[in-house]
Amino acid sequence: TVALLAGSPLARRLVVLDLAGNGITEKGATAIAAAEWPELRQLVLSSNPIGKTVTATIRERLPQVRVVMRAVD
């Protein structure tokens, strides 16, 4: 699950994380926003059912990260 990934010590070393089209829910996206990602610079969450409010939370919580969101097809 996304929560396991976000809680992994290896997650702290990721620079790019592409989770496009992986069925990430708002709960999973909230777990991403709550985690520590000191090296992360790009997060791709395109084609996941994540609303604007949670996306804004991620951007606020991770200002160093370029968050890529494209609509679900």
Side-chain angles (χ1 to χ4, degrees):
T1 68
V2 176
L4 290 174
L5 172 65
S8 167
L10 295 176
R12 298 179 56 80
R13 298 172 52 195
L14 292 175
V15 176
V16 175
L17 180 58
D18 187 341
L19 296 172
N22 278 286
I24 306 299
T25 63
E26 290 198 347
K27 181 178 178 181
T30 300
I32 291 170
E36 296 295 324
W37 305 91
E39 302 298 322
L40 193 64
R41 296 298 175 260
Q42 181 168 309
L43 174 63
V44 182
L45 293 171
S46 299
S47 298
N48 287 295
I50 301 169
K52 292 180 181 180
T53 302
V54 175
T55 302
T57 300
I58 293 170
R59 287 188 169 125
E60 181 180 301
R61 176 72 176 84
L62 305 171
Q64 81 283 8
V65 177
R66 177 178 177 256
V67 180
V68 178
M69 288 291 301
R70 292 191 185 94
V72 176
D73 294 331

Short mmCIF file of all heavy atoms in Angstrom, two decimals:
data_model
loop_
_atom_site.label_atom_id
_atom_site.label_comp_id
_atom_site.label_asym_id
_atom_site.label_seq_id
_atom_site.Cartn_x
_atom_site.Cartn_y
_atom_site.Cartn_z
N THR A 1 0.84 -1.19 0.00
CA THR A 1 0.00 0.00 0.00
C THR A 1 0.88 1.25 0.00
O THR A 1 2.07 1.18 0.29
CB THR A 1 -0.93 0.03 1.23
OG1 THR A 1 -0.15 0.22 2.39
CG2 THR A 1 -1.78 -1.22 1.33
N VAL A 2 0.25 2.36 -0.29
CA VAL A 2 0.98 3.63 -0.32
C VAL A 2 1.50 3.98 1.07
O VAL A 2 2.60 4.50 1.21
CB VAL A 2 0.07 4.76 -0.86
CG1 VAL A 2 0.78 6.09 -0.79
CG2 VAL A 2 -0.33 4.46 -2.28
N ALA A 3 0.74 3.66 2.10
CA ALA A 3 1.18 3.97 3.47
C ALA A 3 2.48 3.22 3.80
O ALA A 3 3.37 3.78 4.44
CB ALA A 3 0.09 3.62 4.47
N LEU A 4 2.61 1.99 3.35
CA LEU A 4 3.85 1.24 3.57
C LEU A 4 5.01 1.88 2.83
O LEU A 4 6.12 1.99 3.37
CB LEU A 4 3.69 -0.22 3.13
CG LEU A 4 2.78 -1.08 4.01
CD1 LEU A 4 2.59 -2.45 3.38
CD2 LEU A 4 3.34 -1.21 5.41
N LEU A 5 4.78 2.28 1.61
CA LEU A 5 5.81 2.96 0.83
C LEU A 5 6.23 4.26 1.52
O LEU A 5 7.42 4.52 1.71
CB LEU A 5 5.32 3.26 -0.59
CG LEU A 5 6.23 4.14 -1.44
CD1 LEU A 5 7.55 3.44 -1.71
CD2 LEU A 5 5.54 4.51 -2.73
N ALA A 6 5.24 5.05 1.91
CA ALA A 6 5.53 6.34 2.54
C ALA A 6 6.29 6.18 3.85
O ALA A 6 7.10 7.02 4.21
CB ALA A 6 4.23 7.11 2.76
N GLY A 7 6.05 5.08 4.55
CA GLY A 7 6.71 4.86 5.83
C GLY A 7 8.05 4.16 5.72
O GLY A 7 8.76 4.02 6.72
N SER A 8 8.43 3.75 4.54
CA SER A 8 9.69 3.03 4.35
C SER A 8 10.88 3.96 4.50
O SER A 8 10.87 5.08 4.00
CB SER A 8 9.71 2.40 2.95
OG SER A 8 11.00 1.97 2.62
N PRO A 9 11.95 3.50 5.14
CA PRO A 9 13.16 4.32 5.23
C PRO A 9 13.76 4.61 3.84
O PRO A 9 14.40 5.64 3.65
CB PRO A 9 14.13 3.48 6.06
CG PRO A 9 13.40 2.29 6.54
CD PRO A 9 12.07 2.24 5.87
N LEU A 10 13.52 3.73 2.89
CA LEU A 10 14.04 3.97 1.54
C LEU A 10 13.31 5.11 0.83
O LEU A 10 13.86 5.73 -0.07
CB LEU A 10 13.94 2.69 0.71
CG LEU A 10 14.80 1.53 1.19
CD1 LEU A 10 14.54 0.29 0.35
CD2 LEU A 10 16.27 1.90 1.16
N ALA A 11 12.09 5.38 1.24
CA ALA A 11 11.32 6.46 0.62
C ALA A 11 12.03 7.80 0.80
O ALA A 11 11.93 8.67 -0.07
CB ALA A 11 9.92 6.52 1.22
N ARG A 12 12.75 7.95 1.87
CA ARG A 12 13.46 9.20 2.14
C ARG A 12 14.55 9.48 1.11
O ARG A 12 15.03 10.59 1.00
CB ARG A 12 14.06 9.18 3.54
CG ARG A 12 13.02 9.06 4.64
CD ARG A 12 13.64 9.02 6.02
NE ARG A 12 14.49 10.16 6.30
CZ ARG A 12 14.07 11.37 6.66
NH1 ARG A 12 12.78 11.59 6.81
NH2 ARG A 12 14.92 12.35 6.89
N ARG A 13 14.94 8.45 0.33
CA ARG A 13 16.00 8.60 -0.66
C ARG A 13 15.48 8.81 -2.08
O ARG A 13 16.26 9.10 -2.98
CB ARG A 13 16.90 7.37 -0.61
CG ARG A 13 17.57 7.23 0.74
CD ARG A 13 18.33 5.94 0.92
NE ARG A 13 19.26 5.71 -0.17
CZ ARG A 13 19.83 4.54 -0.41
NH1 ARG A 13 19.57 3.51 0.35
NH2 ARG A 13 20.68 4.41 -1.41
N LEU A 14 14.18 8.67 -2.29
CA LEU A 14 13.61 8.81 -3.63
C LEU A 14 13.71 10.24 -4.13
O LEU A 14 13.46 11.19 -3.38
CB LEU A 14 12.15 8.37 -3.64
CG LEU A 14 11.89 6.89 -3.41
CD1 LEU A 14 10.39 6.63 -3.32
CD2 LEU A 14 12.50 6.07 -4.54
N VAL A 15 14.02 10.39 -5.40
CA VAL A 15 14.07 11.70 -6.04
C VAL A 15 12.84 11.88 -6.93
O VAL A 15 12.26 12.95 -6.99
CB VAL A 15 15.37 11.87 -6.86
CG1 VAL A 15 15.39 13.18 -7.61
CG2 VAL A 15 16.58 11.75 -5.93
N VAL A 16 12.44 10.82 -7.62
CA VAL A 16 11.25 10.83 -8.47
C VAL A 16 10.38 9.64 -8.07
O VAL A 16 10.88 8.54 -7.88
CB VAL A 16 11.64 10.70 -9.97
CG1 VAL A 16 10.40 10.60 -10.84
CG2 VAL A 16 12.49 11.88 -10.40
N LEU A 17 9.10 9.89 -7.94
CA LEU A 17 8.14 8.84 -7.62
C LEU A 17 6.98 8.95 -8.60
O LEU A 17 6.25 9.95 -8.60
CB LEU A 17 7.65 8.96 -6.18
CG LEU A 17 6.64 7.92 -5.70
CD1 LEU A 17 7.18 6.50 -5.84
CD2 LEU A 17 6.24 8.21 -4.25
N ASP A 18 6.83 7.96 -9.46
CA ASP A 18 5.77 7.95 -10.46
C ASP A 18 4.74 6.88 -10.08
O ASP A 18 5.00 5.69 -10.20
CB ASP A 18 6.35 7.66 -11.84
CG ASP A 18 5.33 7.80 -12.96
OD1 ASP A 18 4.11 7.77 -12.68
OD2 ASP A 18 5.75 7.95 -14.11
N LEU A 19 3.59 7.35 -9.62
CA LEU A 19 2.49 6.46 -9.23
C LEU A 19 1.28 6.65 -10.14
O LEU A 19 0.15 6.37 -9.75
CB LEU A 19 2.11 6.72 -7.77
CG LEU A 19 3.19 6.40 -6.74
CD1 LEU A 19 2.78 6.87 -5.35
CD2 LEU A 19 3.49 4.92 -6.72
N ALA A 20 1.52 7.12 -11.35
CA ALA A 20 0.43 7.37 -12.30
C ALA A 20 -0.35 6.08 -12.58
O ALA A 20 0.23 5.02 -12.77
CB ALA A 20 0.99 7.92 -13.61
N GLY A 21 -1.67 6.21 -12.56
CA GLY A 21 -2.54 5.10 -12.92
C GLY A 21 -2.48 3.91 -11.99
O GLY A 21 -2.79 2.80 -12.40
N ASN A 22 -2.12 4.11 -10.74
CA ASN A 22 -1.99 3.01 -9.78
C ASN A 22 -3.17 2.91 -8.82
O ASN A 22 -3.08 2.19 -7.82
CB ASN A 22 -0.69 3.15 -8.99
CG ASN A 22 0.48 2.62 -9.76
OD1 ASN A 22 0.65 1.42 -9.88
ND2 ASN A 22 1.29 3.52 -10.30
N GLY A 23 -4.24 3.60 -9.08
CA GLY A 23 -5.41 3.52 -8.21
C GLY A 23 -5.18 4.14 -6.84
O GLY A 23 -5.80 3.71 -5.86
N ILE A 24 -4.31 5.14 -6.78
CA ILE A 24 -4.04 5.81 -5.51
C ILE A 24 -5.28 6.61 -5.12
O ILE A 24 -5.76 7.44 -5.89
CB ILE A 24 -2.82 6.76 -5.62
CG1 ILE A 24 -1.59 6.02 -6.16
CG2 ILE A 24 -2.54 7.45 -4.31
CD1 ILE A 24 -1.12 4.88 -5.32
N THR A 25 -5.79 6.34 -3.94
CA THR A 25 -6.99 7.03 -3.46
C THR A 25 -6.58 8.28 -2.68
O THR A 25 -5.40 8.54 -2.45
CB THR A 25 -7.79 6.12 -2.53
OG1 THR A 25 -6.98 5.82 -1.38
CG2 THR A 25 -8.20 4.82 -3.23
N GLU A 26 -7.58 9.03 -2.25
CA GLU A 26 -7.30 10.21 -1.44
C GLU A 26 -6.65 9.81 -0.12
O GLU A 26 -5.80 10.52 0.40
CB GLU A 26 -8.56 11.04 -1.24
CG GLU A 26 -8.98 11.70 -2.54
CD GLU A 26 -9.93 12.86 -2.35
OE1 GLU A 26 -10.48 13.04 -1.25
OE2 GLU A 26 -10.11 13.60 -3.34
N LYS A 27 -7.01 8.66 0.41
CA LYS A 27 -6.38 8.17 1.64
C LYS A 27 -4.89 7.92 1.41
O LYS A 27 -4.05 8.31 2.22
CB LYS A 27 -7.07 6.89 2.11
CG LYS A 27 -6.50 6.33 3.39
CD LYS A 27 -7.26 5.08 3.82
CE LYS A 27 -6.65 4.49 5.09
NZ LYS A 27 -7.35 3.28 5.51
N GLY A 28 -4.57 7.29 0.31
CA GLY A 28 -3.16 7.05 -0.03
C GLY A 28 -2.41 8.34 -0.28
O GLY A 28 -1.26 8.51 0.15
N ALA A 29 -3.05 9.27 -0.97
CA ALA A 29 -2.41 10.57 -1.25
C ALA A 29 -2.18 11.35 0.05
O ALA A 29 -1.17 12.03 0.19
CB ALA A 29 -3.28 11.38 -2.21
N THR A 30 -3.09 11.21 1.00
CA THR A 30 -2.91 11.85 2.30
C THR A 30 -1.71 11.25 3.03
O THR A 30 -0.95 11.97 3.69
CB THR A 30 -4.20 11.73 3.14
OG1 THR A 30 -5.26 12.37 2.41
CG2 THR A 30 -4.05 12.39 4.48
N ALA A 31 -1.51 9.95 2.89
CA ALA A 31 -0.34 9.29 3.49
C ALA A 31 0.95 9.82 2.86
O ALA A 31 1.95 10.03 3.55
CB ALA A 31 -0.43 7.78 3.33
N ILE A 32 0.92 10.05 1.56
CA ILE A 32 2.08 10.63 0.89
C ILE A 32 2.37 12.02 1.44
O ILE A 32 3.52 12.36 1.74
CB ILE A 32 1.85 10.68 -0.64
CG1 ILE A 32 1.85 9.27 -1.22
CG2 ILE A 32 2.91 11.55 -1.32
CD1 ILE A 32 1.39 9.19 -2.66
N ALA A 33 1.33 12.82 1.60
CA ALA A 33 1.51 14.18 2.11
C ALA A 33 2.06 14.20 3.53
O ALA A 33 2.81 15.10 3.90
CB ALA A 33 0.18 14.94 2.05
N ALA A 34 1.72 13.20 4.32
CA ALA A 34 2.13 13.16 5.73
C ALA A 34 3.55 12.63 5.92
O ALA A 34 4.15 12.82 6.98
CB ALA A 34 1.16 12.31 6.54
N ALA A 35 4.11 11.98 4.90
CA ALA A 35 5.43 11.35 5.03
C ALA A 35 6.55 12.36 4.82
O ALA A 35 6.34 13.47 4.30
CB ALA A 35 5.55 10.22 4.03
N GLU A 36 7.75 11.95 5.20
CA GLU A 36 8.95 12.76 4.99
C GLU A 36 9.60 12.32 3.68
O GLU A 36 9.91 11.14 3.50
CB GLU A 36 9.94 12.56 6.14
CG GLU A 36 9.41 13.05 7.47
CD GLU A 36 9.18 14.55 7.50
OE1 GLU A 36 9.97 15.30 6.87
OE2 GLU A 36 8.21 14.98 8.13
N TRP A 37 9.82 13.26 2.78
CA TRP A 37 10.41 13.01 1.47
C TRP A 37 11.52 14.04 1.23
O TRP A 37 11.40 14.89 0.35
CB TRP A 37 9.36 13.12 0.37
CG TRP A 37 8.16 12.27 0.54
CD1 TRP A 37 6.99 12.61 1.17
CD2 TRP A 37 7.98 10.92 0.10
NE1 TRP A 37 6.10 11.56 1.13
CE2 TRP A 37 6.69 10.51 0.47
CE3 TRP A 37 8.80 10.02 -0.59
CZ2 TRP A 37 6.19 9.25 0.19
CZ3 TRP A 37 8.30 8.77 -0.87
CH2 TRP A 37 7.01 8.39 -0.49
N PRO A 38 12.61 14.01 1.96
CA PRO A 38 13.60 15.08 1.87
C PRO A 38 14.29 15.20 0.52
O PRO A 38 14.73 16.29 0.15
CB PRO A 38 14.61 14.72 2.97
CG PRO A 38 14.43 13.28 3.22
CD PRO A 38 12.98 12.99 2.94
N GLU A 39 14.39 14.13 -0.24
CA GLU A 39 15.08 14.16 -1.54
C GLU A 39 14.12 14.25 -2.72
O GLU A 39 14.55 14.49 -3.84
CB GLU A 39 15.97 12.93 -1.70
CG GLU A 39 17.03 12.78 -0.62
CD GLU A 39 18.01 13.94 -0.60
OE1 GLU A 39 18.37 14.44 -1.68
OE2 GLU A 39 18.39 14.35 0.52
N LEU A 40 12.83 14.05 -2.49
CA LEU A 40 11.86 13.98 -3.58
C LEU A 40 11.74 15.32 -4.29
O LEU A 40 11.60 16.36 -3.65
CB LEU A 40 10.49 13.56 -3.04
CG LEU A 40 9.45 13.14 -4.08
CD1 LEU A 40 9.91 11.89 -4.83
CD2 LEU A 40 8.11 12.90 -3.43
N ARG A 41 11.81 15.28 -5.62
CA ARG A 41 11.68 16.48 -6.43
C ARG A 41 10.53 16.40 -7.43
O ARG A 41 10.07 17.41 -7.92
CB ARG A 41 12.99 16.77 -7.18
CG ARG A 41 14.16 17.07 -6.25
CD ARG A 41 13.89 18.33 -5.41
NE ARG A 41 14.92 18.58 -4.44
CZ ARG A 41 14.84 18.27 -3.14
NH1 ARG A 41 13.76 17.67 -2.66
NH2 ARG A 41 15.81 18.55 -2.32
N GLN A 42 10.07 15.19 -7.74
CA GLN A 42 8.94 15.04 -8.66
C GLN A 42 8.06 13.89 -8.21
O GLN A 42 8.56 12.80 -7.93
CB GLN A 42 9.40 14.81 -10.09
CG GLN A 42 8.23 14.68 -11.05
CD GLN A 42 8.65 14.74 -12.50
OE1 GLN A 42 9.36 15.65 -12.89
NE2 GLN A 42 8.22 13.79 -13.30
N LEU A 43 6.76 14.15 -8.16
CA LEU A 43 5.76 13.17 -7.77
C LEU A 43 4.69 13.16 -8.85
O LEU A 43 4.04 14.18 -9.10
CB LEU A 43 5.16 13.54 -6.42
CG LEU A 43 3.99 12.70 -5.92
CD1 LEU A 43 4.40 11.25 -5.71
CD2 LEU A 43 3.43 13.31 -4.64
N VAL A 44 4.51 12.02 -9.50
CA VAL A 44 3.52 11.90 -10.58
C VAL A 44 2.34 11.10 -10.04
O VAL A 44 2.48 9.94 -9.67
CB VAL A 44 4.12 11.22 -11.83
CG1 VAL A 44 3.08 11.16 -12.94
CG2 VAL A 44 5.36 11.96 -12.29
N LEU A 45 1.19 11.74 -10.00
CA LEU A 45 -0.03 11.11 -9.50
C LEU A 45 -1.15 11.15 -10.54
O LEU A 45 -2.32 11.02 -10.21
CB LEU A 45 -0.49 11.79 -8.21
CG LEU A 45 0.43 11.61 -7.01
CD1 LEU A 45 -0.02 12.51 -5.86
CD2 LEU A 45 0.46 10.16 -6.56
N SER A 46 -0.79 11.31 -11.79
CA SER A 46 -1.78 11.39 -12.87
C SER A 46 -2.63 10.12 -12.92
O SER A 46 -2.18 9.04 -12.54
CB SER A 46 -1.06 11.57 -14.21
OG SER A 46 -0.32 12.76 -14.22
N SER A 47 -3.84 10.29 -13.40
CA SER A 47 -4.78 9.19 -13.61
C SER A 47 -5.08 8.40 -12.35
O SER A 47 -5.19 7.17 -12.37
CB SER A 47 -4.28 8.26 -14.73
OG SER A 47 -4.18 8.97 -15.95
N ASN A 48 -5.16 9.10 -11.25
CA ASN A 48 -5.61 8.54 -9.97
C ASN A 48 -6.78 9.39 -9.49
O ASN A 48 -6.83 10.59 -9.75
CB ASN A 48 -4.48 8.58 -8.93
CG ASN A 48 -3.41 7.56 -9.21
OD1 ASN A 48 -3.65 6.37 -9.14
ND2 ASN A 48 -2.22 8.03 -9.54
N PRO A 49 -7.74 8.78 -8.78
CA PRO A 49 -8.91 9.53 -8.31
C PRO A 49 -8.63 10.38 -7.08
O PRO A 49 -9.08 10.10 -5.97
CB PRO A 49 -9.93 8.42 -8.02
CG PRO A 49 -9.08 7.25 -7.63
CD PRO A 49 -7.84 7.36 -8.46
N ILE A 50 -7.85 11.43 -7.28
CA ILE A 50 -7.45 12.32 -6.18
C ILE A 50 -8.01 13.71 -6.47
O ILE A 50 -7.78 14.26 -7.55
CB ILE A 50 -5.92 12.38 -6.06
CG1 ILE A 50 -5.35 10.99 -5.81
CG2 ILE A 50 -5.51 13.34 -4.95
CD1 ILE A 50 -3.85 10.90 -5.93
N GLY A 51 -8.73 14.26 -5.51
CA GLY A 51 -9.35 15.56 -5.69
C GLY A 51 -8.39 16.72 -5.52
O GLY A 51 -7.25 16.58 -5.09
N LYS A 52 -8.89 17.90 -5.87
CA LYS A 52 -8.09 19.13 -5.81
C LYS A 52 -7.65 19.48 -4.39
O LYS A 52 -6.56 20.00 -4.19
CB LYS A 52 -8.85 20.28 -6.43
CG LYS A 52 -9.04 20.14 -7.92
CD LYS A 52 -9.80 21.30 -8.51
CE LYS A 52 -9.99 21.10 -10.01
NZ LYS A 52 -10.74 22.22 -10.60
N THR A 53 -8.49 19.20 -3.41
CA THR A 53 -8.16 19.55 -2.03
C THR A 53 -6.95 18.75 -1.54
O THR A 53 -6.02 19.30 -0.95
CB THR A 53 -9.36 19.31 -1.09
OG1 THR A 53 -10.45 20.10 -1.56
CG2 THR A 53 -9.04 19.68 0.34
N VAL A 54 -6.94 17.46 -1.80
CA VAL A 54 -5.82 16.62 -1.37
C VAL A 54 -4.57 16.97 -2.18
O VAL A 54 -3.47 17.02 -1.63
CB VAL A 54 -6.18 15.12 -1.49
CG1 VAL A 54 -4.97 14.25 -1.18
CG2 VAL A 54 -7.33 14.78 -0.55
N THR A 55 -4.74 17.25 -3.46
CA THR A 55 -3.60 17.67 -4.28
C THR A 55 -2.99 18.96 -3.72
O THR A 55 -1.77 19.08 -3.62
CB THR A 55 -4.03 17.88 -5.75
OG1 THR A 55 -4.58 16.66 -6.25
CG2 THR A 55 -2.86 18.28 -6.62
N ALA A 56 -3.83 19.89 -3.34
CA ALA A 56 -3.34 21.15 -2.75
C ALA A 56 -2.60 20.89 -1.44
O ALA A 56 -1.58 21.52 -1.15
CB ALA A 56 -4.50 22.11 -2.53
N THR A 57 -3.08 19.94 -0.65
CA THR A 57 -2.42 19.58 0.61
C THR A 57 -1.02 19.02 0.33
O THR A 57 -0.06 19.36 1.02
CB THR A 57 -3.26 18.56 1.39
OG1 THR A 57 -4.52 19.14 1.69
CG2 THR A 57 -2.57 18.13 2.68
N ILE A 58 -0.92 18.16 -0.67
CA ILE A 58 0.39 17.61 -1.03
C ILE A 58 1.33 18.72 -1.44
O ILE A 58 2.48 18.79 -0.99
CB ILE A 58 0.25 16.56 -2.16
CG1 ILE A 58 -0.49 15.33 -1.66
CG2 ILE A 58 1.63 16.18 -2.71
CD1 ILE A 58 -0.87 14.35 -2.76
N ARG A 59 0.86 19.63 -2.28
CA ARG A 59 1.71 20.73 -2.75
C ARG A 59 2.13 21.63 -1.59
O ARG A 59 3.26 22.12 -1.56
CB ARG A 59 0.99 21.52 -3.83
CG ARG A 59 0.91 20.75 -5.13
CD ARG A 59 0.35 21.61 -6.26
NE ARG A 59 0.56 20.91 -7.53
CZ ARG A 59 -0.42 20.63 -8.38
NH1 ARG A 59 -1.66 20.99 -8.13
NH2 ARG A 59 -0.14 19.99 -9.50
N GLU A 60 1.25 21.85 -0.67
CA GLU A 60 1.56 22.68 0.50
C GLU A 60 2.57 21.99 1.41
O GLU A 60 3.51 22.60 1.90
CB GLU A 60 0.29 22.99 1.27
CG GLU A 60 0.50 23.86 2.49
CD GLU A 60 -0.81 24.12 3.20
OE1 GLU A 60 -1.72 24.68 2.56
OE2 GLU A 60 -0.92 23.77 4.38
N ARG A 61 2.37 20.71 1.63
CA ARG A 61 3.22 19.94 2.55
C ARG A 61 4.60 19.65 1.97
O ARG A 61 5.57 19.51 2.69
CB ARG A 61 2.50 18.63 2.90
CG ARG A 61 3.25 17.66 3.75
CD ARG A 61 3.36 18.12 5.19
NE ARG A 61 4.00 17.11 6.01
CZ ARG A 61 5.31 16.94 6.13
NH1 ARG A 61 6.14 17.71 5.48
NH2 ARG A 61 5.80 16.00 6.90
N LEU A 62 4.67 19.54 0.63
CA LEU A 62 5.93 19.21 -0.05
C LEU A 62 6.27 20.29 -1.08
O LEU A 62 6.25 20.06 -2.29
CB LEU A 62 5.79 17.84 -0.74
CG LEU A 62 5.36 16.67 0.14
CD1 LEU A 62 5.05 15.45 -0.69
CD2 LEU A 62 6.43 16.37 1.18
N PRO A 63 6.62 21.49 -0.63
CA PRO A 63 6.84 22.61 -1.56
C PRO A 63 8.01 22.41 -2.52
O PRO A 63 8.05 23.03 -3.58
CB PRO A 63 7.07 23.80 -0.64
CG PRO A 63 7.54 23.21 0.64
CD PRO A 63 6.85 21.87 0.76
N GLN A 64 8.96 21.55 -2.18
CA GLN A 64 10.12 21.31 -3.04
C GLN A 64 9.82 20.34 -4.18
O GLN A 64 10.64 20.14 -5.06
CB GLN A 64 11.31 20.79 -2.21
CG GLN A 64 11.28 19.30 -1.88
CD GLN A 64 10.33 18.88 -0.75
OE1 GLN A 64 9.54 19.66 -0.25
NE2 GLN A 64 10.43 17.62 -0.36
N VAL A 65 8.62 19.76 -4.16
CA VAL A 65 8.26 18.71 -5.11
C VAL A 65 7.38 19.26 -6.23
O VAL A 65 6.41 19.96 -5.98
CB VAL A 65 7.52 17.55 -4.38
CG1 VAL A 65 7.08 16.48 -5.37
CG2 VAL A 65 8.40 16.96 -3.30
N ARG A 66 7.74 18.90 -7.46
CA ARG A 66 6.87 19.18 -8.60
C ARG A 66 5.84 18.06 -8.65
O ARG A 66 6.18 16.90 -8.87
CB ARG A 66 7.69 19.21 -9.90
CG ARG A 66 6.85 19.44 -11.13
CD ARG A 66 7.73 19.51 -12.38
NE ARG A 66 6.89 19.66 -13.54
CZ ARG A 66 6.61 18.67 -14.40
NH1 ARG A 66 7.12 17.47 -14.22
NH2 ARG A 66 5.83 18.89 -15.43
N VAL A 67 4.58 18.41 -8.42
CA VAL A 67 3.50 17.43 -8.42
C VAL A 67 2.81 17.46 -9.78
O VAL A 67 2.32 18.50 -10.21
CB VAL A 67 2.48 17.70 -7.28
CG1 VAL A 67 1.36 16.68 -7.30
CG2 VAL A 67 3.17 17.73 -5.93
N VAL A 68 2.79 16.31 -10.44
CA VAL A 68 2.18 16.20 -11.77
C VAL A 68 0.85 15.48 -11.60
O VAL A 68 0.79 14.35 -11.13
CB VAL A 68 3.09 15.42 -12.75
CG1 VAL A 68 2.40 15.27 -14.10
CG2 VAL A 68 4.44 16.08 -12.87
N MET A 69 -0.22 16.18 -11.98
CA MET A 69 -1.58 15.62 -11.91
C MET A 69 -2.27 15.86 -13.25
O MET A 69 -2.44 16.99 -13.65
CB MET A 69 -2.39 16.32 -10.82
CG MET A 69 -2.00 15.98 -9.41
SD MET A 69 -2.40 14.31 -8.94
CE MET A 69 -4.15 14.24 -9.17
N ARG A 70 -2.63 14.78 -13.86
CA ARG A 70 -3.46 14.88 -15.07
C ARG A 70 -4.75 14.13 -14.78
O ARG A 70 -4.74 13.17 -14.01
CB ARG A 70 -2.72 14.28 -16.27
CG ARG A 70 -1.52 15.13 -16.64
CD ARG A 70 -0.94 14.73 -17.99
NE ARG A 70 0.26 15.50 -18.24
CZ ARG A 70 1.49 15.09 -17.94
NH1 ARG A 70 1.68 13.90 -17.39
NH2 ARG A 70 2.54 15.85 -18.19
N ALA A 71 -5.81 14.54 -15.41
CA ALA A 71 -7.13 13.98 -15.12
C ALA A 71 -7.20 12.47 -15.40
O ALA A 71 -6.51 11.96 -16.27
CB ALA A 71 -8.19 14.69 -15.94
N VAL A 72 -8.07 11.82 -14.64
CA VAL A 72 -8.37 10.41 -14.89
C VAL A 72 -9.11 10.32 -16.21
O VAL A 72 -10.03 11.06 -16.49
CB VAL A 72 -9.24 9.85 -13.74
CG1 VAL A 72 -9.65 8.42 -14.04
CG2 VAL A 72 -8.52 9.94 -12.42
N ASP A 73 -8.67 9.38 -17.05
CA ASP A 73 -9.34 9.21 -18.36
C ASP A 73 -10.63 8.46 -18.22
O ASP A 73 -10.84 7.62 -17.46
CB ASP A 73 -8.40 8.45 -19.31
CG ASP A 73 -7.16 9.27 -19.63
OD1 ASP A 73 -7.25 10.51 -19.61
OD2 ASP A 73 -6.10 8.66 -19.89
#
